[in-house]
Amino acid sequence: MSEEKSAVPAWEQRFRAARVSLPDWAEDAPDRALYVSNATGTYEVYAWDRATDAHRRVTDRPNGTTDAELSPDGRWIWWFDDQDGDEFGVWRRQPFAGGPDEEAVPGLAASYSAGLALGRDGTVVVGRSTDEDGTTLHLRRAGAAEPVEIYRHEEYGGVADLSHDGTLLALDHTEHGDAMHSAIRVYRLTADSVETVAELDEVTGRDEPRGVACLGFAPVEGDTRMLVAHQRTGRWEPMIWDVATGAETALPLRDEQGRELPGDVSAQWRPGAAELLVEHEYEARSELFSYALADGRLTRLDTPRGTVGGATPRPDGTVEYLWSSAAEPSAVRSTAGTVVLRAPGPVPPGSVPVEDVWVDGPGGRVHALVQRPANGPGPYPTVFEIHGGPTHHDSDSFTAGPAAWLDHGFAVVRVNYRGSTGYGQAWTDALRERVGLIELEDIDAVRTWAVDSGLADPGRLVLSGGSWGGYLTLLGLGVQPENWSLGLAAVPVADYHTAYADEMEALKSLDRTLFGGTPEEVPERFSASSPLTYVERVRVPVYISAGVNDPRCPIRQIENYVERLEQLGTPHEVYRYDAGHGSLVVEERIKQLRLEIDFVRRHLATADGGTAAATAPEPGARTAAGTGETV
């Protein structure tokens, strides 16, 4: 490594190091693949001809591109073109070998994407979501000039899959009004009609709704079997549903020792449909198995301890997967024992392994992932890095943000609060009506453990997070003002009433499910869960970053919260950037974390009167006097 590069802090090296996603390949042309990489400093789509090992950048946009698909024959690359990260756009396509982009389905106005399905015969189904129309599905048959609308509903839904022969279309929908538990409808597509042929709904009319979701039709001509994820046992696991006969086949997933897999389980068809690739997520880690349908044999595939961020079975019988751990950077690996795809340039520096901590909380045992810095014994200044979602979870995977705080002498704690996935349906579904407040109870239980155990310095506790984690940060600073020393909130919900009015329709649907109605129907619930309600109780400095084009946590509701902070004289700084719900530009991500580190350095005092971060102020960050505005 050159002297110039070695002078770059390790935390910046982790952000700048090139990364690649798991490659996706064309089913009928497996040597043609797509992946996403930040090799140029912005996340863009790349085409990879595996036969010649030729790589080509497909998209080149100021704010980056990540949403793309290959046609089954590998001839076309479809990619979603939004404006400045607002997620509102149209599909375009480009020849795999290169050439001009063209509007893929002329006649469809811009929308939020609700899925895409590409058939072998040229059939296309496009899902759209808008505030005015809800969800609509549009079918363009092979040879037709214009698409036709085949579905419309005010609640959110999405295109799930087309059968191998293109005659069956699966839709995951929430027409019943429960956005946390979807149902499945299957349509038969003929030359002149679209008719419903099967329904799988385990929500309507049930006291304890269970979700189902399409995992894909069998990849065999004329096969009417669908792989389905269901929650009948209180967790996600797969089964096979024949949509022609209605027959359901349970899949008893037990390992070589006869033990049932305890966590959430997903699966996908392997080529030929005689076996499944099974992914098991349990307690923040994941592992892969192969399942033989003929004899029910479940065989574990050799993957290291950590997190599989995606996997795909290849026609040659191997499985390629994206793997990392908290200590080791990600890599695209193969069960053949090779690294399939390596990003150009140096490998980013590693970080610190995680420790598993279980804490008794008001709703059950709470799992937290803990990392300690390498600068001697605690108690340490500690960052509670809260994940988004909320139906998501932190895992034992490589993340540049927490690693940066460790480099600066902080311990990092991540909490898989109620609402998180990977711990069973009851844990996820607990997030109802007392939205935000339930999660804070679990975070508080872990905070108490962190202080009592000697890990965390109670006078130097930072509450931090992005998206739902940013929302919980602002809510926590007001609901639990005595618990925290300062807060860092990225793209948060700050004023829930206004957020609901401005957010994309898919999130309105989720909020109606979480709260049991709209702000007009249950205003007291929205108020009880809104950070703006508690802003007068905030006693510590607050840092907020926001994308001005964000459709998920829109800017107006953040401005309402900031205006109230200003009126109250609460110390705060705000950074607004020209993108949506986060940035795909590496330098922008580095800038945002640099501003957070500088904010903490200036506001979080150490026991000896110094500051928690032992680094000098970074150049380029200024605060406009009297406004709290970072410019």
Side-chain angles (χ1 to χ4, degrees):
M1 184 176 288
S2 70
E3 182 179 347
E4 179 183 359
K5 288 185 177 179
S6 65
V8 177
W11 74 266
E12 290 191 26
Q13 292 178 41
R14 294 191 194 96
F15 277 94
R16 289 199 172 96
R19 290 172 171 78
V20 292
S21 69
L22 180 72
D24 187 21
W25 50 275
E27 192 168 352
D28 296 336
D31 281 338
R32 294 191 167 191
L34 288 182
Y35 62 90
V36 173
S37 177
N38 65 338
T40 63
T42 302
Y43 285 86
E44 296 287 2
V45 178
Y46 287 75
W48 177 26
D49 187 330
R50 300 176 66 137
T52 63
D53 198 31
H55 300 254
R56 180 181 68 84
R57 187 172 64 184
V58 174
T59 55
D60 184 7
R61 303 194 304 152
N63 283 311
T65 315
T66 60
D67 198 356
E69 291 193 30
L70 272 170
S71 61
D73 59 10
R75 292 180 56 205
W76 293 96
I77 298 168
W78 289 56
W79 60 276
F80 193 71
D81 183 10
D82 66 348
Q83 297 297 314
D84 298 323
D86 65 0
E87 302 180 50
F88 200 82
V90 299
W91 286 98
R92 302 192 184 280
R93 69 175 191 172
Q94 180 184 129
F96 182 85
D101 291 311
E102 62 184 35
E103 191 170 352
V105 187
L108 291 183
S111 69
Y112 299 113
S113 176
L116 173 72
L118 304 176
R120 283 170 172 71
D121 64 351
T123 298
V124 175
V125 182
V126 178
R128 300 174 66 253
S129 175
T130 65
D131 291 344
E132 299 77 18
D133 300 328
T135 300
T136 57
L137 267 56
H138 303 262
L139 168 67
R140 189 184 69 186
R141 291 180 170 86
E146 298 290 333
V148 295
E149 183 180 303
I150 60 172
Y151 175 85
R152 176 182 291 258
H153 199 279
E154 62 184 7
E155 295 290 349
Y156 186 72
V159 178
D161 196 23
L162 271 174
S163 62
H164 193 80
D165 58 12
T167 62
L168 299 173
L169 169 67
L171 164 73
D172 287 337
H173 70 83
T174 58
E175 293 176 6
H176 39 63
D178 185 340
M180 295 183 72
H181 304 96
S182 60
I184 302 173
R185 181 173 300 129
V186 180
Y187 298 96
R188 177 175 288 111
L189 309 179
T190 67
D192 53 8
S193 69
V194 177
E195 60 176 335
T196 300
V197 295
E199 300 262 7
L200 192 59
D201 183 346
E202 306 204 343
V203 181
T204 304
R206 297 174 185 261
D207 293 334
E208 295 185 8
R210 306 293 192 188
V212 291
C214 172
L215 297 176
F217 284 103
V220 177
E221 192 77 14
D223 198 326
T224 56
R225 292 176 301 164
M226 178 193 295
L227 197 57
V228 171
H230 67 88
Q231 295 179 306
R232 293 175 179 176
T233 59
R235 60 170 187 159
W236 285 109
E237 60 182 65
M239 71 174 185
I240 293 175
W241 177 39
D242 190 325
V243 303
T245 66
E248 298 178 1
T249 304
L251 302 175
L253 300 174
R254 296 182 179 275
D255 63 18
E256 289 92 335
Q257 287 74 43
R259 298 171 300 190
E260 185 179 67
L261 301 182
D264 285 338
V265 184
S266 184
Q268 56 183 296
W269 298 97
R270 300 193 73 158
E275 295 186 343
L276 304 178
L277 175 62
V278 173
E279 181 175 345
H280 176 224
E281 289 191 349
Y282 184 55
E283 297 183 351
R285 293 174 180 85
S286 52
E287 55 187 347
L288 297 177
F289 296 83
S290 186
Y291 182 81
L293 293 173
D295 58 11
R297 188 178 72 256
L298 188 70
T299 304
R300 191 184 188 282
L301 303 181
D302 186 18
T303 60
R305 178 175 169 83
T307 296
V308 174
T312 180
R314 293 284 293 169
D316 63 2
T318 62
V319 173
E320 296 175 354
Y321 59 96
L322 183 67
W323 177 90
S324 72
S325 71
E328 299 178 65
S330 63
V332 179
R333 303 187 178 196
S334 169
T335 52
T338 60
V339 173
V340 176
L341 182 62
R342 191 184 302 277
V347 175
S351 189
V352 178
V354 295
E355 305 168 29
D356 295 277
V357 171
W358 290 89
V359 177
D360 290 333
R365 297 177 72 223
V366 185
H367 188 200
L369 303 177
V370 175
Q371 292 169 281
R372 302 171 189 264
N375 59 340
Y380 308 100
T382 300
V383 174
F384 275 69
E385 186 72 28
I386 309 303
H387 72 73
T391 51
H392 185 55
H393 67 271
D394 276 316
S395 62
D396 181 6
S397 58
F398 193 77
T399 309
W405 290 112
L406 290 160
D407 287 356
H408 285 81
F410 287 78
V412 176
V413 178
R414 291 176 285 169
V415 182
N416 283 332
Y417 49 76
R418 278 172 287 173
S420 301
T421 55
Y423 302 88
Q425 182 185 353
W427 191 257
T428 303
D429 286 0
L431 184 60
R432 295 279 189 144
E433 297 185 4
R434 294 182 61 248
V435 178
L437 306 175
I438 288 174
E439 302 95 293
L440 290 178
E441 291 174 353
D442 293 343
I443 293 168
D444 181 52
V446 177
R447 185 202 69 86
T448 299
W449 165 85
V451 172
D452 291 348
S453 69
L455 172 76
D457 181 342
R460 294 183 290 168
L461 293 177
V462 180
L463 187 58
S464 175
S467 191
W468 196 265
Y471 158 64
L472 293 177
T473 294
L474 296 184
L475 189 65
L477 296 180
V479 173
Q480 304 165 338
E482 68 285 352
N483 282 4
W484 309 105
S485 305
L486 56 81
L488 308 171
V491 290
V493 175
D495 166 10
Y496 226 128
H497 289 269
T498 304
Y500 181 88
D502 293 354
E503 68 193 6
M504 60 199 304
E505 179 56 37
L507 291 182
K508 284 186 171 72
S509 178
L510 175 60
D511 283 341
R512 290 192 296 270
T513 298
L514 293 176
F515 288 97
T518 67
E520 292 73 28
E521 294 166 339
V522 288
E524 70 286 350
R525 292 178 186 170
F526 277 83
S527 294
S529 295
S530 177
L532 187 61
T533 301
Y534 308 95
V535 66
E536 287 84 359
R537 300 179 61 190
V538 176
R539 297 291 182 267
V540 299
V542 186
Y543 178 88
I544 299 173
S545 59
V548 297
N549 305 312
D550 190 345
R552 299 172 183 263
C553 298
I555 191 69
R556 184 168 70 106
Q557 52 96 26
I558 294 175
E559 301 291 10
N560 292 346
Y561 187 89
V562 170
E563 180 180 1
R564 190 70 185 116
L565 287 176
E566 292 172 349
Q567 293 169 352
L568 294 167
T570 306
H572 68 282
E573 294 177 15
V574 183
Y575 173 64
R576 302 169 180 86
Y577 56 94
D578 188 18
H581 198 61
S583 176
L584 299 175
V585 179
V586 172
E587 289 302 321
E588 176 61 35
R589 291 186 175 187
I590 292 173
K591 178 181 180 181
Q592 291 178 23
L593 187 52
R594 184 183 292 128
L595 291 170
E596 291 184 357
I597 291 169
D598 180 62
F599 180 83
V600 171
R601 180 186 178 277
R602 289 182 284 109
H603 290 281
L604 190 65
T606 61
D608 61 3
T611 52
T615 55
E618 298 285 356
R622 296 182 298 161
T623 302
T627 67
E629 176 75 11
T630 302
V631 295

